[in-house]
Amino acid sequence: MDVREQVAHQRVELEAAVAKALEVAGKQADAAEVAINKTTGISVSTRMCEVENVEFNSDGALGITVYRGNRKGSASTSDLSEAAIAQTVAAALDIANYTSEDPFAGPGPAELMARNIPDLDLFHPDEPEPDHAAAVAIAAEEAALAFDPRVKQSDGASYDSHYGVRVYGNSHGMLASYASSRHSISCCVIGEGKNGNMERDYSYTTSRLASDMWTPERVGRHAAERTVSRIDPQKLTTREAPVMFAADIATGLFGHLVMGISGANLYRKSSFLLDKLGEQVFPEWLNISERPHILRGMASTPFDSEGLATYDREIITDGALQTYLLTSYAARKMKMQPTGHAGGIHNWLVSSTGESFEQMLKKMDRGLLVTELMGQGVNIITGDYSRGAAGFWVENGQIQYPVSEITIAGNLKDMMQNIVAIGSDTETRSQILTGSMLLDSMKIAGE
């Protein structure tokens, strides 16, 4: 039996377990939700071209949530026998007896449940032998170590390949499942500068389909190239200057937007974007679209973790905020409709002003290119932003030298409004697909 047949058989078994749990719970609870994510795969890590760790994974627990009146109880089991399921339902019901009443608790609205489950081409399993997986990781390390004599040692490489099945059901009659896969290669190396100072950087590739990933040699060379470019950094004096975030760093700024418009932060009144629905929070040229059904998309899903159907949705149109991100619980709290975002966002496409990475540097002319951020200095309530950074100083549109031990600061409201351009060098490994981002000015604290 090949992997696809095994997974098809597994889906039938898991759906039956979820259906059984719902049947048992339905006799004693007012409502119920049951879900399981079963994941299988291999992770191999190497260091200095020697195998360091080999892990085989096959795990997943059946999570059962019951509602009795306005009380909620949850329990889980990895044993899918009928007796174990009955015991777990009983445990969840027992817990519900002791929880506080919450009028906003309960499954999502029945009319918003996913009924037609599209095939998003997410399932491309690969079962590499440990020796092959190790060879891939070692090939990345070898390419990195051969790139430049200043690359002195490897901090490790890895090859990961996992596939799994997600099944969700609830007392509205919703019961659906889908299979997906994810593969990745990563490599991290250390370089040595003139004074013995060490710098570290990394690279990685990830995809639903193993053959769509970068080659291990490309991952290794990219990790080494990034590391070598950082060797012998200089410090900057304190100043204000334009700041450009590399594409893989720019995703983080939009991640703060996700936090700012998430229901949990909004109903607690702990967001810098409170009451901003319909208002302009970005420049007029900027748009963000959500596309949950992109084939093979890294954040594609036919339904969210509450079983709500996912739809194409505009997040930002002409700079204005079009929607919040609401679970069913948050939506009831805020007297709004849930948006299908329980469990996270689904493939955000950020519009570009069309410039390449090099053209973005020329547009900035003189300023800071940020390639790494450190620390957690972001206050989602006020929008205050202050983080350690490293990157490169740019003059006349050309990278001059690496810089480190600096802090960049501003306020997220201002930063979002002051985006000058977004490049065409789109980061595709993230759930947020954006190019590099240029801001007109930020405070840079150095010497």
Side-chain angles (χ1 to χ4, degrees):
M1 189 183 297
D2 68 12
V3 179
R4 290 182 176 275
E5 290 174 331
Q6 290 174 20
V7 170
H9 182 68
Q10 189 179 70
R11 282 177 75 170
V12 172
E13 289 183 334
L14 295 177
E15 286 183 4
V18 170
K20 185 63 182 177
L22 288 169
E23 178 191 339
V24 174
K27 294 173 182 176
Q28 303 170 73
D30 297 322
E33 296 180 271
V34 182
I36 185 168
N37 290 314
K38 180 77 172 177
T39 303
T40 305
I42 183 173
S43 300
V44 176
S45 61
T46 61
R47 189 179 295 269
M48 291 303 293
C49 303
E50 297 284 341
V51 175
E52 187 173 58
N53 200 29
V54 178
E55 291 183 13
F56 292 94
N57 313 102
S58 183
D59 51 47
L62 188 74
I64 300 171
T65 299
V66 296
Y67 302 93
R68 183 175 271 170
N70 291 329
R71 300 179 188 272
K72 170 184 172 182
S74 298
S76 64
T77 178
S78 54
D79 182 349
L80 302 185
S81 67
E82 288 194 14
I85 289 172
Q87 288 176 349
T88 308
V89 171
L93 286 162
D94 189 48
I95 291 168
N97 290 331
Y98 296 98
T99 58
S100 301
E101 290 198 19
D102 188 341
F104 305 105
E111 66 275 12
L112 298 182
M113 291 295 142
R115 300 300 181 186
N116 300 310
I117 311 301
D119 180 0
L120 303 181
D121 198 24
L122 305 179
F123 183 53
H124 296 275
D126 185 29
E127 285 195 302
E129 292 296 320
D131 288 347
H132 171 73
V136 170
I138 289 169
E141 287 191 291
E142 288 177 340
L145 292 167
F147 180 79
D148 190 290
R150 289 171 291 179
V151 178
K152 297 298 185 183
Q153 57 183 297
S154 167
D155 201 29
S158 67
Y159 183 95
D160 295 88
S161 178
H162 291 84
Y163 61 87
V165 176
R166 169 162 178 73
V167 184
Y168 174 87
N170 62 28
S171 47
H172 292 317
M174 161 81 176
L175 178 57
S177 68
Y178 65 93
S180 64
S181 58
R182 186 179 294 259
H183 318 281
S184 65
I185 304 168
S186 67
C187 182
C188 180
V189 292
I190 299 169
E192 184 176 341
K194 296 173 185 174
N195 299 318
N197 294 328
M198 311 295 265
E199 293 291 336
R200 175 192 284 108
D201 215 325
Y202 72 99
S203 183
Y204 74 99
T205 179
T206 185
S207 180
R208 297 287 189 185
L209 180 64
S211 59
D212 282 349
M213 291 192 294
W214 294 353
T215 64
E217 292 79 10
R218 180 179 174 185
V219 173
R221 286 192 299 268
H222 191 231
E225 184 179 357
R226 285 169 60 104
T227 299
V228 168
S229 70
R230 295 179 58 148
I231 288 175
D232 297 323
Q234 300 182 32
K235 296 180 181 179
L236 292 177
T237 56
T238 297
R239 66 189 72 185
E240 287 199 18
V243 171
M244 177 173 153
F245 293 88
D248 58 335
I249 302 299
T251 59
L253 189 65
F254 292 109
H256 301 317
L257 169 65
V258 174
M259 294 293 292
I261 61 175
S262 292
N265 288 325
L266 292 167
Y267 72 68
R268 294 188 182 106
K269 301 192 182 303
S270 56
S271 168
F272 71 102
L273 291 174
L274 192 65
D275 300 325
K276 294 294 183 183
L277 194 62
E279 294 190 18
Q280 191 166 334
V281 294
F282 285 99
E284 287 187 0
W285 53 265
L286 195 146
N287 299 286
I288 301 176
S289 302
E290 183 172 64
R291 298 292 182 261
H293 299 163
I294 293 175
L295 298 183
R296 298 186 189 175
M298 296 309 292
S300 292
T301 181
F303 53 86
D304 75 351
S305 59
E306 295 182 313
L308 271 65
T310 52
Y311 297 100
D312 288 356
R313 188 181 295 272
E314 302 310 310
I315 309 298
I316 302 290
T317 301
D318 299 332
L321 179 62
Q322 301 300 305
T323 183
Y324 292 144
L325 310 177
L326 305 180
T327 63
S328 297
Y329 184 86
R332 292 187 190 106
K333 280 262 193 182
M334 299 172 65
K335 298 180 180 178
M336 299 179 76
Q337 278 272 83
T339 59
H341 288 97
I345 62 170
H346 324 294
N347 301 320
W348 278 18
L349 280 58
V350 182
S351 63
S352 167
T353 45
E355 295 91 345
S356 66
F357 179 78
E358 292 75 17
Q359 288 169 332
M360 291 283 283
L361 291 176
K362 286 185 169 61
K363 193 179 187 82
M364 179 167 66
D365 186 44
R366 181 176 187 272
L368 176 67
L369 168 63
V370 175
T371 58
E372 183 183 14
L373 289 168
M374 293 150 274
Q376 303 296 320
V378 182
N379 188 322
I380 291 296
I381 301 174
T382 63
D384 288 338
Y385 184 100
S386 178
R387 299 188 69 185
F392 301 89
W393 186 250
V394 176
E395 295 271 2
N396 300 316
Q398 299 287 329
I399 291 174
Q400 300 299 310
Y401 50 83
V403 295
S404 65
E405 297 182 38
I406 54 176
T407 300
I408 57 173
N411 185 279
L412 287 170
K413 288 181 187 176
D414 299 329
M415 291 165 66
M416 290 176 176
Q417 288 280 5
N418 295 337
I419 297 173
V420 174
I422 291 180
S424 59
D425 53 332
T426 304
E427 169 61 59
T428 59
R429 299 168 295 180
S430 168
Q431 59 189 357
I432 299 172
L433 285 73
T434 179
S436 50
M437 179 195 304
L438 176 59
L439 276 64
D440 68 350
S441 182
M442 287 188 73
K443 294 174 183 174
I444 303 169
E447 292 185 316

